């Protein structure tokens, strides 16, 4: 069965021996501490190795480059702050993801994402790491929720799922990175409400007539 043209490419697996979980956590803890103190620029492989006690050669066996490692940290932070949508009620899951995304504004997650997006304009390795490590998987999870909502009749069948995801999440990035205005839960709930007004399933004609009486 062919994949839809709009589906993102699968992430490439990182070669090398299986990672020791305690050492992996130590590396990510060290990267987080360095980012919190000095931003993305401070989280060099040398600094991470020194702080974590894990050898550089071992780190490079597990992560092919620094962008991949830092994006792994970003994915971990995002999963903690605003997990991908899941559960039996897809609309509730999407609404929760939007609300939690607003709560993560002006946190280490927000600051690291902002730094990486800026670096991605100049560094193709960072851009690839962001797309394959964070944005593609999150978009696939959101599209899955949209399709479940369509199957349940909550969202119109004629709405392309990828377009629906952009409608929900596009305002978040526009407000943060173009307008540079505060991102609030109230704003994201307004976005959710107005997007659903446009793409929500329309009641059948008989139902509309009954309500109009």
């Amino acid at each position: 069965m062919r994949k839809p043209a709009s589906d993102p490419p699968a992430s490439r697996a990182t070669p090398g021996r299986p990672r020791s979980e305690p050492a992996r956590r130590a590396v990510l803890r060290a990267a987080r501490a360095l980012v919190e103190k000095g931003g993305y620029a401070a989280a060099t492989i040398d600094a991470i190795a020194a702080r974590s006690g894990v050898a550089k050669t071992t780190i490079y066996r597990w992560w092919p480059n620094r962008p991949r490692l830092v994006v792994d940290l970003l994915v971990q932070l995002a999963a903690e702050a605003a997990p991908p949508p899941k559960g039996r009620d897809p609309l509730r899951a999407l609404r929760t993801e939007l609300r939690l995304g607003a709560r993560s504004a002006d946190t280490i997650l927000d600051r690291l994402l902002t730094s990486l997006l800026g670096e991605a304009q100049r560094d193709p390795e960072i851009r690839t790491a962001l797309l394959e490590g964070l944005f593609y998987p999150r978009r696939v999870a959101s599209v899955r929720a949209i399709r479940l909502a369509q199957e349940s009749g909550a969202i119109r069948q004629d709405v392309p799922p990828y377009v629906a995801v952009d409608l929900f999440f596009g305002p978040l990035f526009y407000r943060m990175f173009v307008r540079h205005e505060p991102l609030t839960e109230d704003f994201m709930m307004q976005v959710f409400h107005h997007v659903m007004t446009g793409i929500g399933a329309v009641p059948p004609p008989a139902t509309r007539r009954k309500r109009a009486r």
Side-chain angles (χ1 to χ4, degrees):
M1 183 176 180
R2 296 179 60 188
K3 294 174 64 178
S6 53
D7 280 349
S11 299
R12 293 190 295 270
T14 303
R17 289 186 289 180
R19 289 183 279 196
S20 159
E21 188 58 25
R24 186 191 74 86
R25 289 197 298 266
V27 168
L28 292 176
R29 278 198 305 270
R32 178 172 184 163
L34 290 163
V35 168
E36 286 179 327
K37 184 176 182 179
Y40 172 70
T44 65
I45 295 296
D46 283 339
I48 293 170
R51 189 178 185 99
S52 67
V54 178
K56 285 172 57 178
T57 52
T58 301
I59 292 174
Y60 276 120
R61 277 202 302 270
W62 296 341
W63 289 279
N65 50 47
R66 180 168 73 121
R68 293 279 180 172
L69 192 163
V70 178
V71 168
D72 264 10
L73 170 63
L74 182 66
V75 170
Q76 175 181 293
L77 294 172
E80 293 171 359
K86 61 181 179 180
R88 295 183 178 180
D89 185 339
L91 290 184
R92 181 178 181 181
L94 284 167
R95 189 167 57 244
T96 298
E97 185 183 14
L98 289 169
R99 180 181 291 113
L100 294 177
R103 290 182 186 175
S104 69
D106 201 28
T107 64
I108 180 178
L109 170 61
D110 177 24
R111 294 191 294 273
L112 181 55
L113 177 59
T114 300
S115 295
L116 289 173
L117 286 172
E119 294 289 337
Q121 306 308 307
R122 301 181 294 274
D123 189 333
E125 285 188 339
I126 295 177
R127 181 178 183 275
T128 298
L130 276 173
L131 289 174
E132 295 185 352
L134 180 67
F135 291 127
Y136 287 156
R138 295 291 293 224
R139 198 170 188 225
V140 165
S142 297
V143 163
R144 188 179 302 118
I146 295 295
R147 286 174 173 154
L148 287 174
Q150 288 177 317
E151 291 172 7
S152 71
I155 290 179
R156 297 198 330 252
Q157 293 289 334
D158 64 321
V159 178
Y162 283 93
V163 172
V165 171
D166 288 349
L167 290 172
F168 279 120
F169 292 94
L172 183 154
F173 287 93
Y174 179 77
R175 191 175 181 94
M176 289 178 66
F177 301 114
V178 178
R179 294 177 60 178
H180 300 285
E181 294 183 0
L183 185 65
T184 65
E185 290 185 52
D186 181 63
F187 171 75
M188 292 314 301
M189 291 306 94
Q190 287 184 57
V191 168
F192 181 85
H193 169 75
H194 289 298
V195 171
M196 284 304 300
T197 298
I199 70 174
V202 179
T207 304
R208 292 203 302 272
R209 284 197 298 271
K210 184 176 180 180
R211 289 179 178 175
R213 292 191 183 120

